Amino acid sequence: MRITHGDLDRFVEQVRPYTEYGQIVEYIPALAKVDPSQVSIALHMLEGECVTAGDTEETFTIQSISKVLSLAYILMERGEAEVFHRVGMEPTGDPFNSIAKLETNRPNKPLNPMINAGALAVTALMPGDGLEERWERFRKFLSALTDKDTLTFNDEVQQSELETADLNRSLAYFLRQHQVIQGDVEELLQLYTRQCSIEMNCQELARIGAVFARDGICPTSGESILPPYIVRICKTFMVTCGMYNASGEFAIKVGIPAKTGVSGGILGIVPGVCGIGVYSPALDEKGNSLAGWKLMELISRTYDFSMF
Ligand code: GLU
């Protein structure tokens, strides 16, 4: 399949007007400072080429996109039985930070690992002795996915998140009360906010997508990074819960396993074809990138990427 920079450039300019109708996330103050008119996209083809368009040098924090990465990592480290003892496999239909079903659901475990409560339960399983060792081990795992050893998190965003994380803090305390997690909640919040604040551009995000699109094989070295069964679990969660409580609509209109974040990033996986990284920070009312969604829709329709 031949997708050119010119094609993507046209699509980016076609969706850019939508940025005017979205809102920048406000509950994390450091995220509120970005220019809302930005749009960028990268497609990392499995043959190796990365086709890009728009404001591609712009970096952003990956926020909830990290939930797919921490899930893949913990499935590798701890195995399916341990993970699914602590989180379920069902969509909630609620906003990503909702506490409602945690209380009413029996047992009181989070319904899936793509909502904040579920991601906190997954991150709580990160192995290692203390914050720095736990972080460093996760960072090493991510380096294999991005093929880059210099991956960092944005300090300012992380601090800002920590200072405004009382809802996440309360989710974590609730989980500890119900024995879903153990250990120090503040250390967990530090780890979780670091993973949300990991910074990259859309090319790097697309590169991660390409590993998943190739069933866990590194697109450049041909080395196996993730077992195919873990890729399958991640892709399934991306379809059922990846676009918050708009995942059903996204499956119908776009049909690509995807994970969104409140910074306006979207990770997409087109199995056997490419990984997609999209960034545009103005969000719709459910927290998905408005222009980013439109761009994914356009790409999917044009190249017949829907898996359904
Ligand atoms: N750090 C954000 C939070 O925990 C991530 C939310 C998101 O991107 O969905 O609220």
Side-chain angles (χ1 to χ4, degrees), residues 5-25:
H5 165 75
D7 298 332
L8 294 187
D9 212 35
R10 254 196 346 271
F11 297 147
V12 163
E13 293 321 317
Q14 210 171 317
V15 303
R16 204 184 287 275
Y18 286 101
T19 60
E20 285 177 33
Y21 303 101
Q23 293 290 324
I24 301 290
V25 68

Side-chain angles (χ1 to χ4, degrees), residues 27-28 62-65 67 96-97 116 161 168 192-193 196 244 259-263:
Y27 76 100
I28 303 172
I62 62 173
Q63 298 298 326
S64 273
I65 297 170
K67 293 177 166 98
F96 61 89
N97 52 6
N116 283 11
E161 285 206 34
N168 285 331
Y192 173 76
T193 50
C196 290
Y244 304 136
K259 183 73 196 90
T260 198
V262 289
S263 53

